[in-house]
Amino acid sequence: MTAELKVSELSVTYGDVDAVRIDELSLDAGEFGVLLGPSGAGKTSSLKAIAGLLPGAAGAVHLGGRDISRTAPEERDIAMCFESYALYPHLTVRKNLEFPLRAPRRVRELTAQERRRRVDEVADVLGLGQLLERRPAQLSGGQRQRVSLGRALVRRPTLLLLDEPISHLDAKLRNGMRAELKRMQRDMGVTTLFATPDQGEAFALGDRVFVLDAGTLRQVGEPTELYLRPSNVRVAELLGAPRINLVDGEVRGQRVTVLGLERPAEGLRDGPVLVGLRPADLTVGGHRELEAAVVAVQPLGNAAIMTVKVSGQTLRVLTQGAFDEWQVGDTVGLGVRSGSLLLFDPVTTMCVKAGI
Amino acid sequence: MMSKLGAWGRRLFLLVWVVFALLPAYWALSTSFKRQVDIYNGPKMIPFVDFTPTLDAWQRLWVASQSDFLPKLLNSFVFSAVSSLIAVVLGAFAAYGLARFEYRYGAYRNDDISFLIVSQRIMPPIVSVLALYVVYVQLRALDTAWGMILAFTSMNLPIAVYLLRSFFAAIPEELEQAAALDGYPAVLRLVRVVFPLAAPGLASAFMLSFFFAWNDFLFALMLTFNKAQTLPLYISSLSAQSQPEWALIAAVGMIALIPPVVVTLVLDRYMSKQVLVGGVR
């Protein structure tokens, strides 16, 4: 049932535009992979290419050691949850969920009773029990999304492709669904590739995260590893919210200077450098290393995003706790957590040093 | 108060409209029960007051039914139904192709091909019917059932293709992709997902085709003379005498109304459905 996925030399072209060019993407059997990238990065195209839905795609796809590159999509045993839901509007929720079980290649595997039980099971887990006789037009967006998820899960596929399957749920439901999804995936042991632009989902769900940007994979790894040691500026920008601050610095004599702050930087050549400072690594009050003017405060409830100016550069700061004591126009002291600086080459945008 | 007045106003308007729409049909119906003299001393609208109804025309129609009338009614129905069915089925395949795939024949792209197909209906049929007559003589297709079905199909195919193309184009491709991943091969994707969702289009294409064929006069006039004659020709033959048989014409006309009405009633429930709502975001 469960199988490893190996994709190599995958490319998708629309006309003469290269939409996706992935050298290699592998998942172990039962692994939960997250394809993280901003909108337009090629996530949907990648998933559809793996599923065999795009005539303009080329490359090799191996599932469970079997080459399925030339297999028709209906024979691949891959289930996909579309971002647009793609529910069958002329069928009830029950018929939608049953649809994959009634396909010619599976219809003999299950009796009508077993089919019914499977649908009830999935509907129960997804909270669709009351909605089984409705049609998609009578459902809310979040309900439709859950039906779409259910249709992908009901048949226990070898590979599960999920294209932003919980992005349109409201916040409370989304958090619940995250946990539920992770649990179901573990229980079923199904190899899963989950596409999302949301770094929070990548952290919460991903055993392994593939950072996709402009059609190519920038970095692959565990979420924490990508957060602490991004290989380049784009990865640093995509993981971590609010977005990382990037300011110009200078390396001279094995030391880096940024915003008047100095840190050791062994092994780096002299010259300009791009310094990444995560908003969560900056502290207001307490240990003062920098002097900052407060430009804006955006409360989040238990925290706030504060925009400050330091030596003419604008920085985002994620403050914790009592943020209401600062007002726009105040001057505050800013601390920078040690071991939090990321240094990038300003030309190649590759990371040259992390954790100083 | 205002809304009550509005409601009555609406009812009054609808009443006037109903009378306006049904008056010709009533006139024909009442005429079929009139004697010739009542018809010519016209307009007499109210039976038993204006005129004394008689079943004369209907009796004559019954007598004529074995030899003349019924075969023609049957011809009309079979030619219309079969040609519409062929036009919708063939048209559906062509329209699906034009909606889903990109074609390129020299300078011709999908839109050009579509226009080429529709343009077959832009030219008035009377221009081509003489040439068609000559071709039919060569093919020995004159006055045959298959000849008439062929003529009606070729007349209706362009409209079916044009109408259905937009219906298929409105069906999101991701529904077909979903069906593919759910395990359905291409033909079943069409049967289980695409055609049910195109039902309003298929129904309207069939209806339009049926009406065009049912009401055709020109093709039947030029291409048939006896065996394959249709109802409109029969009706016109009744008036082509020294004294037109108005009551008989009206009776046949009433019967000629029935099949299109039945077709409309049967297919109407497919047309009004909002089948595409709720499938995709």
Side-chain angles (χ1 to χ4, degrees), chain A residues 24-200:
Chain A
E24 206 202 308
L25 186 155
S26 305
L27 283 173
D28 295 337
E31 201 175 11
F32 199 121
V34 172
L35 195 58
L36 177 72
S39 60
K43 300 188 293 295
T44 301
S45 295
S46 304
L47 295 188
K48 284 190 175 175
I50 293 170
L53 296 174
L54 298 183
V61 181
H62 290 258
L63 191 58
R66 201 163 66 92
D67 183 358
I68 55 167
S69 314
R70 285 179 209 295
T71 310
E74 62 265 28
E75 300 291 335
R76 288 193 181 194
D77 200 24
I78 295 175
M80 179 163 169
C81 190
F82 291 82
E83 196 198 350
S84 71
Y85 319 141
L87 301 181
Y88 308 119
H90 58 304
L91 302 177
T92 60
V93 170
R94 175 179 289 285
K95 291 261 172 67
N96 263 282
L97 294 174
E98 243 182 13
F99 199 77
L101 302 178
R102 285 176 169 273
R105 61 195 303 264
R106 270 183 294 270
V107 73
R108 268 180 289 276
E109 290 170 16
L110 297 171
T111 65
Q113 256 175 335
E114 288 170 318
R115 231 175 5 234
R116 229 186 140 70
R117 219 197 47 237
R118 279 259 204 116
V119 169
D120 288 338
E121 234 171 65
V122 165
D124 201 42
V125 170
L126 295 169
L128 296 169
Q130 307 298 313
L131 309 173
L132 284 172
E133 300 313 316
R134 294 213 196 156
R135 281 175 202 275
Q138 298 163 293
L139 304 178
S140 72
Q143 291 167 335
R144 287 178 201 174
Q145 197 154 42
R146 280 181 282 152
V147 176
S148 154
L149 195 55
R151 191 178 57 188
L153 293 170
V154 73
R155 44 181 271 212
R156 301 175 187 164
T158 309
L159 176 66
L160 184 59
L161 302 175
L162 305 172
D163 194 0
E164 306 191 24
I166 54 177
S167 56
H168 302 291
L169 306 182
D170 59 63
K172 189 175 143 226
L173 201 53
R174 188 162 60 224
N175 285 330
M177 283 300 295
R178 258 185 212 172
E180 195 59 46
L181 195 59
K182 183 87 178 171
R183 188 190 65 78
M184 278 192 286
Q185 190 266 345
R186 283 248 171 80
D187 290 354
M188 289 167 60
V190 58
T191 314
T192 302
L193 189 56
F194 178 107
T196 178
D198 181 332
Q199 53 111 21

Side-chain angles (χ1 to χ4, degrees), chain B residues 124-140:
Chain B
I126 193 122
V127 178
S128 63
V129 79
L130 270 177
L132 201 60
Y133 176 82
V134 176
V135 173
Y136 266 48
V137 170
Q138 299 291 319
L139 290 175
R140 296 175 195 284

